């Protein structure tokens, strides 16, 4: 199984989280493309407006299956070894999903002010097919 993560390659927080996933997964499950890679966005039918709603996770086996924003973050966590235990616990706590969604929206909308903006777009070495500009 392969999943594709479309992330903001100019966001310090987003890049740090991608780098953490790269370390944990080593490209076995996840491949990455920055939202700034217009060619890859076109390939997946993703618009700039879509990107404004946050990180996107695409199921490589069924590309019509997609998660976005906090739902994508939860699904990524669930897919990691033993991650489903934490995600299931989080989802089972009354009100946590609502709080998590609002928290995600605040971070998404203020990410550059809170965590800074990179001067160069980060491109993962575990890129999506054809998206590496190396």
């Amino acid at each position: 199984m392969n999943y594709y993560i479309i992330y903001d390659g100019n966001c310090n927080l987003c890049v740090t989280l991608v780098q953490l996933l790269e370390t944990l997964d080593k490209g076995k499950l996840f491949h990455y493309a920055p939202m700034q890679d217009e060619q890859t966005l076109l390939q997946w039918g993703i618009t700039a407006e879509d990107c404004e709603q946050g990180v996107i996770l695409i199921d490589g086996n069924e590309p019509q299956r997609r998660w976005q924003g906090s739902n994508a973050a939860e699904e990524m966590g669930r897919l990691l070894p033993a991650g489903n235990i934490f995600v299931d616990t989080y989802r089972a706590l009354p009100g946590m999903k609502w709080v998590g969604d609002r928290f995600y929206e605040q971070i998404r909308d203020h990410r550059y002010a809170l965590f800074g903006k990179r001067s160069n777009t980060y491109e993962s070495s575990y890129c999506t097919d054809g998206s590496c500009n190396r």
Side-chain angles (χ1 to χ4, degrees):
M1 294 185 89
N2 282 318
Y3 290 87
Y4 301 97
I5 298 174
I6 311 299
Y7 65 96
D8 183 345
N10 292 339
C11 166
N12 284 327
L13 175 64
C14 307
V15 168
T16 298
L17 293 174
V18 164
Q19 290 171 334
L20 175 63
L21 284 172
E22 290 171 331
T23 300
L24 293 172
D25 180 59
K26 303 206 181 325
K28 293 176 187 162
L29 185 61
F30 297 120
H31 299 275
Y32 311 87
M35 291 176 177
Q36 293 75 17
D37 182 345
E38 293 176 14
Q39 186 174 10
T40 297
L41 296 183
L42 269 173
Q43 171 189 337
W44 291 107
I46 298 170
T47 66
E49 291 78 24
D50 294 330
C51 292
E52 290 175 11
Q53 299 305 308
V55 65
I56 301 168
L57 177 66
I58 301 169
D59 183 331
N61 295 327
E62 296 180 51
Q64 69 281 6
R65 287 187 60 204
R66 297 177 181 204
W67 299 263
Q68 188 157 20
S70 61
N71 292 327
E74 290 172 22
E75 189 64 17
M76 285 183 255
R78 193 188 67 72
L79 291 166
L80 291 171
N84 61 326
I85 295 168
F86 298 103
V87 174
D88 290 346
T89 301
Y90 161 80
R91 288 178 177 167
L93 295 171
M96 282 305 293
K97 173 69 173 149
W98 184 87
V99 170
D101 289 349
R102 301 300 79 75
F103 183 72
Y104 181 89
E105 290 167 2
Q106 290 300 310
I107 296 295
R108 176 197 68 204
D109 294 346
H110 301 97
R111 64 189 178 274
Y112 296 143
L114 293 169
F115 301 100
K117 185 174 182 178
R118 298 173 57 88
S119 57
N120 296 318
T121 300
Y122 177 79
E123 292 199 33
S124 172
S125 55
Y126 302 107
C127 60
T128 61
D129 299 332
S131 73
C132 284
N133 293 326
R134 297 169 195 254

